Amino acid sequence: MPLLLALETSTTVCSIALYKDQQLLGASELQIEKSHSSHITVMVAQLVENCGASLQDLSAVAVSGGPGSYTGLRIGTSTAKGLCFSLDIPLIEVSTLYGLAAQVIAATPNPEQYLFCPMLDARRMEVYTCIVDHRLQEVEPIAPVVLDENSFAEQLQERQVIFLEAGLRN
């Protein structure tokens, strides 16, 4: 029965989750800017304990691999690598954008009718984005895009697009 710890630190939200056999056992998140480094290990220890497990029970650690906040990604990756090295377990990298899209696809009725466009703020009217179908198959690769009124005109002519964001600012 695999036990997977998942870490997401690419945005201002620091979140972790624990899964057993693909079922969510528990999750924790904290939205305090510039605090990931001082809280993530405490969050991990508390979550694992609250779920009745120990770090030695972990089968693997998954971590967001970006795009996203450079410092946040370094903190998440360093924490994940430290756990994996000390426990001799695999490290799994998950695209931040694909992870965001997967959550929305799972909650969308008839997702095959849509394309999905997750975005992360890159500042100055620019976002990191991609476009995927309901099977997470790449339609447009991950790239920085300067937003304007015509940014996704071609894709919108093909089919409806669900835009989703994490951390966009006005």
Side-chain angles (χ1 to χ4, degrees):
M1 292 181 249
L3 191 63
L4 175 73
L5 176 67
L7 309 175
E8 207 304 304
T9 58
S10 65
T11 67
T12 57
V13 178
C14 179
S15 61
I16 62 172
L18 192 62
Y19 294 88
K20 185 173 188 176
D21 295 327
Q22 300 181 3
Q23 296 294 319
L24 179 65
L25 294 180
S28 180
E29 71 177 40
L30 185 62
Q31 189 167 359
I32 301 174
E33 286 198 48
K34 299 180 181 177
S35 68
H36 293 8
S37 63
S38 59
H39 291 95
I40 192 166
T41 54
V42 173
M43 291 171 66
V44 167
Q46 288 175 344
L47 179 64
V48 169
E49 182 181 330
N50 290 345
C51 291
S54 72
L55 291 177
Q56 289 71 25
D57 296 330
L58 294 177
S59 303
V61 177
V63 64
S64 56
S69 158
Y70 180 71
T71 301
L73 291 168
R74 281 185 23 227
I75 293 165
T77 301
S78 298
T79 303
K81 285 177 78 172
L83 287 167
C84 290
F85 181 76
S86 66
L87 298 169
D88 194 27
I89 57 176
L91 173 64
I92 302 165
E93 182 265 336
V94 178
S95 162
T96 304
L97 293 174
Y98 279 58
L100 184 58
Q103 286 181 321
V104 173
I105 291 167
T108 300
N110 304 312
E112 64 280 352
Q113 296 177 4
Y114 306 98
L115 292 174
F116 297 84
C117 183
M119 296 181 191
L120 288 173
D121 186 15
R123 304 206 178 143
R124 298 187 191 120
M125 294 303 295
E126 189 173 43
V127 295
Y128 290 107
T129 189
C130 64
I131 297 181
V132 297
D133 67 13
H134 69 287
R135 291 189 180 107
L136 288 177
Q137 297 299 310
E138 189 176 89
V139 175
E140 296 287 333
I142 295 174
V145 174
V146 176
L147 295 177
D148 65 27
E149 63 276 359
N150 298 312
S151 294
F152 302 98
E154 184 179 319
Q155 292 82 5
L156 287 165
Q157 287 179 348
E158 291 178 26
R159 121 166 71 146
Q160 290 181 318
V161 179
I162 295 179
F163 295 94
L164 38 142
E165 62 85 17
L168 285 177
R169 298 180 185 128
N170 294 334

